[in-house]
Amino acid sequence: MDRMFRVLAFWTGIFTIMFYVGDMYNTAILFLVQTAFFLTLSYLRLSERMYMYMFGAYLTVFMVGFTWYTEFILVPGFGV
């Protein structure tokens, strides 16, 4: 299970680079933080159950943050 978090760190790292190259610096920083989070978790040698709990907590925080952003921050039709 620790290897799966390294795979997640790899892909979020790729997204970090792509967002940085695309001049989307705030998003690149967000993905860099996620990369560091996944990489740190992958080397903790937790049990598989704890890795699943951590991933569930990550998904919960993501969905709450995404819902909050789309409800209160995002302006519909802006930039179209």
Side-chain angles (χ1 to χ4, degrees):
M1 197 62 159
D2 54 345
R3 291 181 183 166
M4 199 64 228
F5 276 86
R6 287 188 199 119
V7 169
L8 287 170
F10 170 78
W11 283 111
T12 54
I14 294 296
F15 275 90
T16 300
I17 293 168
M18 297 301 280
F19 283 131
Y20 182 77
V21 169
D23 294 329
M24 300 175 70
Y25 300 119
N26 292 336
T27 311
I29 291 171
L30 177 66
F31 272 79
L32 183 63
V33 169
Q34 290 182 35
T35 302
F37 172 72
F38 287 139
L39 201 58
T40 302
L41 273 180
S42 71
Y43 285 106
L44 289 181
R45 299 287 184 188
L46 303 172
S47 66
E48 187 169 344
R49 178 178 291 195
M50 194 62 196
Y51 276 123
M52 292 302 290
Y53 286 151
M54 293 300 290
F55 189 65
Y58 167 76
L59 289 179
T60 302
V61 168
F62 168 78
M63 284 308 296
V64 167
F66 181 74
T67 303
W68 179 79
Y69 175 78
T70 57
E71 191 67 30
F72 300 113
I73 302 296
L74 185 67
V75 178
F78 181 72
V80 176

